[in-house]
Amino acid sequence: MSTEAATTNFRSSDFQPVAQPPDFRPEVTVSPHDGLRFWQFMIAGSIAGCVEHMAMFPVDTVKTHMQALGSCPIKSVGVRHALRSILKSEGVPGLYRGIGAMGLGAGPAHAVYFSVYEVSKKYFSGGNPNNSAAHAVSGVFATVASDAVFTPMDMVKQRLQLGNSATYRGVLDCVRRVLKEEGFGAFYASYRTTVVMNAPFTAVHFATYEAAKRGLIEISPESASDERVIVHATAGALAGASAAVVTTPLDVVKTQLQCQGVCGCDRFKSSSISDVIKTIVKKDGYKGLMRGWIPRMFFHAPAAAICWSTYEAAKTFFQELNASTESGSVT
């Protein structure tokens, strides 16, 4: 009697038992990193990569011409002279030669790039978002995987950029001729150099990006959500410019290996990085290792800004989509 009375006294209309369906089973779920699934990281990365490379392709064409040695049409290292020479010989379309190969390679490569980075970052960071070492290591893992996808099409792209319509008629013609004349290995002649170059590039890039993003958010945390596009773009530009300058010598070596024999450019007996460096230094001095650093920096700074802001915008879209889907399923 007393127990029942006490129960009645503590009973409140604000707390009513919730009836559960007969087949109710409580389920424990683990939220994916950033609230996104693996395939969503891939799509976001693919969109970001395509937008970035298509927007900056003319700058990349100028850089490729400047870095190629031999009797190619352009021998000057000046950006203006390189641009004028391309426009004079082929017109505006010359700035976009090879863009088809870039389109075929950039999407899949960046899908791999960002998805591997996000998974690796989650694994290595140990829940610490400020772990710069984890960001750098994750970037290295990402580039090793994505370069295996991107290198063949990057080689085709650079050969099309250097040649004219008489050299290669297009992407398929270039692929067929390279396979016939040089074999499958030609598509990966620069892979080792590309990885050696991109490993420090992405280590510097991702570590700088995450640190810059964190610093910019801490400057004005109350308006960070309203200015997130500016934050991502600024952090990306700083990261891209820094990484580009540091790794220019290896990018010159990569271009030499991918463009050997095209339009009179030198051929190398092996794909040894040291042999190529010796050839460049002998022919053009140590300054030859920094050829194209200005357009490379001008390419990677805005490219990284475009890429990161696009990538983060795509992630935000998927996060909102997932949240609306989950709220809809609950109601």
Side-chain angles (χ1 to χ4, degrees), residues 15-183:
F15 300 96
Q16 298 294 335
V18 178
Q20 302 291 352
D23 59 343
F24 173 76
R25 295 287 186 277
E27 182 179 354
V28 179
T29 59
V30 179
S31 178
H33 183 52
D34 276 351
L36 299 186
R37 299 172 180 83
F38 187 80
W39 65 268
Q40 291 174 325
F41 284 128
M42 293 189 74
I43 292 177
S46 180
I47 294 171
C50 288
V51 172
E52 168 201 350
H53 285 285
M54 297 299 180
M56 301 304 301
F57 194 82
V59 182
D60 182 65
T61 299
V62 173
K63 181 216 68 161
T64 298
H65 274 274
M66 290 176 67
Q67 290 179 342
L69 298 176
S71 60
C72 292
I74 297 169
K75 298 179 181 179
S76 171
V77 296
V79 176
R80 291 182 182 177
H81 182 78
L83 180 59
R84 280 200 302 266
S85 298
I86 295 170
L87 293 176
K88 183 179 179 180
S89 60
E90 296 189 67
V92 174
L95 294 171
Y96 290 91
R97 281 187 59 82
I99 196 170
M102 175 61 76
L104 291 173
H110 277 72
V112 173
Y113 188 68
F114 280 106
S115 57
V116 171
Y117 172 71
E118 294 287 358
V119 171
S120 300
K121 183 174 73 171
K122 180 183 178 182
Y123 178 80
F124 289 114
S125 65
N128 178 14
N130 301 329
N131 191 336
S132 296
H135 300 151
V137 172
S138 300
V140 173
F141 274 82
T143 198
V144 170
S146 65
D147 284 343
V149 178
F150 188 60
T151 297
M153 278 298 140
D154 189 46
M155 184 275 288
V156 173
K157 181 263 300 182
Q158 289 198 315
R159 292 197 177 202
L160 290 172
Q161 284 176 321
L162 284 180
N164 50 39
S165 57
T167 308
Y168 298 112
R169 293 193 299 272
V171 176
L172 291 178
D173 181 55
C174 181
V175 171
R176 281 196 297 264
R177 288 180 57 182
V178 170
L179 281 173
K180 181 180 179 180
E181 298 169 9
E182 303 175 52

Side-chain angles (χ1 to χ4, degrees), residues 176-228:
R176 281 196 297 264
R177 288 180 57 182
V178 170
L179 281 173
K180 181 180 179 180
E181 298 169 9
E182 303 175 52
F184 182 77
F187 291 102
Y188 284 93
S190 69
Y191 178 68
R192 180 172 55 183
T193 306
T194 302
V195 170
V196 170
M197 175 191 71
N198 283 343
F201 178 92
T202 50
V204 173
H205 185 110
F206 281 111
T208 303
Y209 171 75
E210 297 285 359
K213 181 177 70 172
R214 186 169 62 250
L216 290 169
I217 291 175
E218 289 174 356
I219 291 174
S220 180
E222 67 280 354
S223 59
S225 59
D226 297 330
E227 301 174 355
R228 58 189 174 190

